[in-house]
Amino acid sequence: DPYPLDMLSSYYQSTNQIEKEISAYKKFLELDPLNYQMELLLANAYARKGEMVNLEESIERIKALAPKSQEYLDAQALLIQFQAAP
């Protein structure tokens, strides 16, 4: 059941523990690798941490899973924002 990991990752996000948040998302995705919504949350964490390569890889996974989804559009916007940041 991935629910406890989802709750834990939300806690880490709210307390700005990005490394632990990323780890929790990865564990969640091991249990449910087709969950592109959780992949978007992971992409957001990578963006907040400044990890461009991981962010791009995460976006590619979303694209492969759900190329016409709102999550993919959101991920593309996240990448644009990341690239535009000083």
Side-chain angles (χ1 to χ4, degrees):
D1 179 17
Y3 181 73
L5 282 174
D6 184 29
M7 294 299 297
L8 186 59
S9 61
S10 295
Y11 168 77
Y12 290 142
Q13 181 179 8
S14 68
T15 58
N16 202 33
Q17 297 181 58
I18 296 175
E19 279 296 326
K20 290 181 180 181
E21 177 188 358
I22 289 171
S23 178
Y25 289 143
K26 286 180 175 180
K27 288 177 185 174
F28 183 101
L29 288 165
E30 286 175 13
L31 298 172
D32 187 3
L34 302 179
N35 190 319
Y36 56 91
Q37 294 96 348
M38 189 61 64
E39 191 71 49
L40 178 59
L41 295 174
L42 178 59
N44 273 294
Y46 285 139
R48 288 194 321 278
K49 190 172 179 210
E51 293 187 5
M52 176 69 135
V53 172
N54 288 329
L55 170 60
E56 290 174 332
E57 290 172 357
S58 195
I59 291 170
E60 284 301 312
R61 284 190 294 274
I62 296 168
K63 181 180 178 183
L65 293 170
K68 296 182 180 183
S69 68
Q70 182 62 47
E71 286 80 5
Y72 179 57
L73 295 175
D74 292 346
Q76 288 178 312
L78 181 65
L79 182 60
I80 291 166
Q81 290 174 349
F82 184 84
Q83 291 170 335

